[in-house]
Amino acid sequence: MSRKILVDQGGQRFTMEYEDLPATAEKAASSRWNVTLGFTAITTLPASSKETDSDAREQLIRWLDGHPGLHPTASDYLGGG
């Protein structure tokens, strides 16, 4: 089952989708959150199957607060500046 969380922050709605990554010869298995705004990929964040939705939301909000210029705003999609 796919795990998806919606996060409203700064007037925008971000989507977090949980993904399990399989082990390879070079890397152990891991999990991550793929974060998007609309159809735009914003970042990936480390994930754990044991964390709550609230924990994941808080992790994204901390990331957004620490990277204020790295995610698009609604005006970017509407031709504003």
Side-chain angles (χ1 to χ4, degrees), residues 10-77:
Q12 299 171 318
R13 176 164 282 182
F14 296 88
T15 302
M16 300 178 75
E17 290 190 70
Y18 184 85
E19 179 181 18
D20 282 319
L21 303 171
T24 65
E26 296 84 27
K27 265 172 76 165
S30 62
S31 302
R32 69 181 180 190
W33 290 105
N34 296 309
V35 180
T36 57
L37 177 61
F39 294 106
T40 303
I42 302 299
T43 192
T44 60
L45 299 170
S48 164
S49 61
K50 296 177 182 165
E51 72 187 327
T52 66
D53 288 1
S54 180
D55 293 335
R57 280 186 186 93
E58 289 174 20
Q59 180 181 195
L60 175 57
I61 291 168
R62 281 192 308 272
W63 186 90
L64 291 169
D65 288 345
H67 300 86
L70 295 181
H71 51 90
T73 64
S75 66
D76 292 332
Y77 297 109

